[in-house]
Amino acid sequence: MTAGAFVTASPSDWTAALDASTLSSGPNNTFRANTPIWETVRLSQGQQSAPQLGRGVTVAIIDSGIDLNHAAFDGRLSSARQDFLEMDGNPQEGGRPGDMGFGHGTGVADIVLQVAPNAVIMPLRALAPDGTGDTREIAAAVRFAVQHGAQIINASVASEPDADLENALADAAAAGVYVVLSAGNTGTNPVLYPARMARSGNAAAHTLSVGSSNTDGVRSSFSSYGADLEVLAPGEGVVTAYPGNYFATWRGTSFAAPMVSGALALALGEHGDAGINLATRLIDHATNVDTVNTPSLQPGASTLGYGQLNIAGFVDSLK
């Protein structure tokens, strides 16, 4: 199993790089370099419509662990946490810079908080520093997240089909927990498993598959696509936290998925469940990008989902 992401820049000092919020009165939680991304998904307008900014919402990050001591997560970590590789309660990032998966979970988790700054992160380590893992640990992490009160699970992972993982995802959906899955970085059709389950099976109702696009809505060349893809989000040149109070620039569907998780956190923080299927509502209010993607579409088939994430359109639809 590979985490599927690509680091494209060296980290720099966190404190100096952290600029401000997308809101004039908001917390300093994002980077000036991400402004084009946030404008594309209409984050500022979405945050204005969801002033709780995800307060009271727990997002489980099933990944390589996180840097538990990073300033990005100060006061934002759940007491429920687990390392499924070492089988202890310390899901600290392992490895060192240069390892393929090092910093992956830290970066994914911080993107959620850039979108929903008051959300709580539940760190669950199931990937090794080289980006590999086992479906057994992923399934166990999904069950742990549900049992410990996560409302959203972000899993930027890919694997071979596995019955135990499918059952865990189905159980999460049955419990009303939203699961956000990255589509994969093959650049080909179809999307990778388990994101391939997002439109079929028992988990489909509360599961979202996320591919990557640029800020013009064009599918990223590396992003997997196909009939099971549901939504795109910008996954190129995303600046986010990196272990050691640093930041890094990443690309990959792994970093598009947590923008969708953050959008769900904004909605849940404002409205709770409200009897609405938020996964369906989110894709219903995506921005159509078919025109700019026509060359990459297969004739007669929908292979890029419902469009690009539109946070404001989604949150405003819940009023």
Side-chain angles (χ1 to χ4, degrees):
M1 182 184 304
T2 59
F6 308 88
V7 65
T8 58
S10 299
S12 299
D13 180 75
W14 171 265
T15 304
L18 199 63
D19 294 316
S21 170
T22 66
L23 300 175
S24 59
S25 59
N28 284 23
N29 72 303
T30 190
F31 304 88
R32 189 171 291 110
N34 285 342
T35 298
I37 291 173
W38 302 143
E39 290 176 345
T40 295
V41 300
R42 301 184 66 206
L43 173 60
S44 180
Q45 298 93 324
Q47 288 180 338
Q48 289 174 18
S49 297
Q52 293 299 312
L53 300 179
R55 189 179 306 279
V57 179
T58 298
V59 182
I61 305 296
I62 299 176
D63 215 290
S64 61
I66 69 170
D67 180 359
L68 299 170
N69 299 312
H70 199 295
F73 308 122
D74 186 23
R76 289 286 168 262
L77 295 181
S78 170
S79 59
R81 57 186 72 176
Q82 185 70 16
D83 185 329
F84 291 90
L85 302 183
E86 302 295 335
M87 291 310 297
D88 60 29
N90 183 34
Q92 176 69 28
E93 287 265 13
R96 59 185 179 180
D99 292 335
M100 178 181 175
F102 183 72
H104 189 270
T106 296
V108 167
D110 182 50
I111 293 168
V112 172
L113 294 178
Q114 290 189 55
V115 175
N118 289 337
V120 171
I121 299 297
M122 180 187 293
L124 303 176
R125 182 173 181 249
L127 298 180
D130 64 359
T132 63
D134 188 280
T135 51
R136 178 177 54 191
E137 278 79 39
I138 301 296
V142 169
R143 293 190 172 98
F144 182 98
V146 174
Q147 292 166 2
H148 290 81
Q151 293 110 306
I152 302 164
I153 297 171
N154 190 102
S156 292
V157 301
S159 76
E160 293 298 320
D162 178 81
D164 187 40
L165 179 54
E166 288 189 25
N167 289 336
L169 293 172
D171 290 344
V177 177
Y178 294 97
V179 181
V180 181
L181 302 165
S182 57
N185 297 330
T186 64
T188 59
N189 185 344
V191 303
L192 300 185
Y193 184 91
R196 202 178 302 165
M197 297 174 54
R199 284 193 179 181
S200 61
N202 295 329
H206 279 72
T207 304
L208 285 163
S209 57
V210 185
S212 173
S213 58
N214 65 19
T215 53
D216 293 322
V218 177
R219 178 184 66 88
S220 301
S221 61
F222 56 78
S223 179
S224 303
Y225 62 99
D228 297 305
L229 184 62
E230 292 186 308
V231 68
L232 298 167
E236 300 181 18
V238 185
V239 183
T240 186
Y242 189 86
N245 280 335
Y246 293 102
F247 74 94
T249 304
W250 295 77
R251 68 187 181 114
T253 60
S254 288
F255 300 92
M259 296 181 191
V260 172
S261 294
L264 291 171
L266 287 178
L268 285 170
E270 211 62 33
H271 304 285
D273 212 343
I276 299 170
N277 186 305
L278 297 179
T280 301
R281 187 64 65 92
L282 185 144
I283 59 178
D284 283 347
H285 288 82
T287 300
N288 188 292
V289 292
D290 284 353
T291 301
V292 295
N293 281 285
T294 299
S296 69
L297 294 174
Q298 293 186 353
S302 174
T303 59
L304 294 180
Y306 294 83
Q308 189 173 62
L309 177 65
N310 181 336
I311 295 177
F314 164 52
V315 174
D316 287 346
S317 76
L318 302 171
K319 293 181 178 178

